[in-house]
Amino acid sequence: MSTNPDRSGPGGDGVPAAGSSVVDIAIGRLRNRIESGEFTPGHRLPPEAVLASELELSRPSLREAVRALAMAGVLDVRRGDGTFVTDLRPDRLLRALGSFLDLAQDTGLNEMLECRKVLEPGATALAATRVDEATLDRLQERIERMRGLHDPEELVREDIAFHADIVAASGNRTLASLADSVTQRTARARIWRALVKSDVLSWTHQQHMDIYTALRAHDSLAAFTAASRHVGDVELWVRDRLDAVRDRR
């Protein structure tokens, strides 16, 4: 067993998957225990120090992962009693969505979505003038891979990689860095959208195809338009959920 907290990847090489943060890795390891049935509904998690050691995580990373999964309705933190796996009922997870978006409003999600709407379409238009055949082939492969995904986190992870490849194709490293910073701060909202919106797979596939087709044609205007529609629809959906939360107050 590795003695270095937060190491990840086969063989413990310490290199996280592309686009993954330490907290994302921690969430994934906890989620795997739940999905495998090791931590069943109602199960009380081991003490923090023990669980952090078992998962090869630092305690701060584990704490952040627990906080995120509690916000998602997967874990229930009972002060003085411990942390428990919930019954994972859909209605509980949907109620947690409201709490998550309410919190996100306070942490600047609106501004991050606006930044994404400004950055990504422009970067996509620029990429249309510079993208090479190898990148286009990789984008097509990602689109096909996404068609077969059903896990919301996997779908969003592949979606993030798809857009990151496009921004990288712009050849502007500063723009890529800015876009990546914004993307990481909107990822969880996009996961929630994938959980709740029933037609997200077909919707995402079609809009990604529109972007890809424009890039393949090296059509900057079409690329900008397709990317604007794609990012704008995500922003609109999240804003609608935020409005619903405010209306319930």
Side-chain angles (χ1 to χ4, degrees):
M1 177 180 291
S2 169
T3 58
N4 189 11
D6 296 336
R7 290 171 69 97
S8 62
D13 61 5
V15 180
S20 297
S21 69
V22 171
V23 175
D24 291 330
I25 293 166
I27 291 171
R29 292 181 185 177
L30 268 175
R31 193 188 69 245
N32 288 342
R33 292 286 185 99
I34 294 169
E35 291 177 348
S36 71
E38 183 176 350
F39 294 161
T40 57
H43 183 96
R44 180 178 178 175
L45 299 188
E48 182 181 90
V50 174
L51 187 57
S53 177
E54 289 180 357
L55 298 178
E56 299 184 76
L57 297 167
S58 67
R59 293 176 70 171
S61 296
L62 175 61
R63 211 169 292 136
E64 285 296 314
V66 168
R67 185 177 297 118
L69 290 173
M71 186 168 61
V74 175
L75 296 178
D76 180 20
V77 180
R78 304 173 192 171
R79 190 178 299 276
D81 194 17
T83 300
F84 298 80
V85 179
T86 70
D87 51 26
L88 304 178
R89 293 196 317 268
D91 60 324
R92 178 191 291 275
L93 300 179
L94 291 176
R95 283 199 305 272
L97 170 61
S99 298
F100 167 76
L101 292 173
D102 201 16
L103 176 63
Q105 170 71 19
D106 295 333
T107 55
L109 179 59
N110 268 331
E111 291 188 3
M112 289 294 105
L113 290 169
E114 286 182 349
C115 287
R116 187 182 179 217
K117 189 166 65 173
V118 169
L119 289 171
E120 280 197 21
T124 304
L126 183 58
T129 68
R130 300 175 176 177
V131 66
D132 58 27
E133 287 298 314
T135 300
L136 287 168
D137 290 345
R138 186 163 63 251
L139 292 173
Q140 187 174 26
E141 290 171 3
R142 289 196 186 281
I143 289 173
E144 290 307 310
R145 192 152 52 242
M146 278 187 274
R147 291 188 71 176
L149 294 177
H150 299 285
D151 179 84
E153 289 194 34
E154 289 183 12
L155 176 62
V156 171
R157 189 178 301 116
E158 196 67 32
D159 175 78
I160 288 172
F162 173 81
H163 291 288
D165 283 348
I166 293 173
V167 178
S170 73
N172 188 314
R173 289 179 296 177
T174 301
L175 183 56
S177 179
L178 288 170
D180 179 68
S181 179
V182 170
T183 294
Q184 297 307 319
R185 286 166 174 77
T186 61
R188 289 200 177 109
R190 290 153 72 182
I191 290 170
W192 272 117
R193 186 179 187 282
L195 278 167
V196 174
K197 188 171 173 59
S198 60
D199 63 343
V200 70
L201 287 174
S202 59
W203 175 91
T204 299
H205 176 72
Q206 183 55 56
Q207 295 203 346
H208 283 167
M209 280 301 301
D210 291 343
I211 294 171
Y212 168 77
T213 300
L215 290 171
R216 176 66 75 178
H218 300 285
D219 187 332
S220 291
L221 179 58
F224 182 90
T225 302
S228 294
R229 183 184 303 116
H230 177 61
V231 175
D233 281 356
V234 173
E235 180 191 23
L236 179 61
W237 185 90
V238 173
R239 286 185 184 277
D240 285 346
R241 302 289 81 71
L242 290 171
D243 289 342
V245 169
R246 284 193 292 268
D247 290 344
R248 287 200 299 269
R249 289 178 175 174

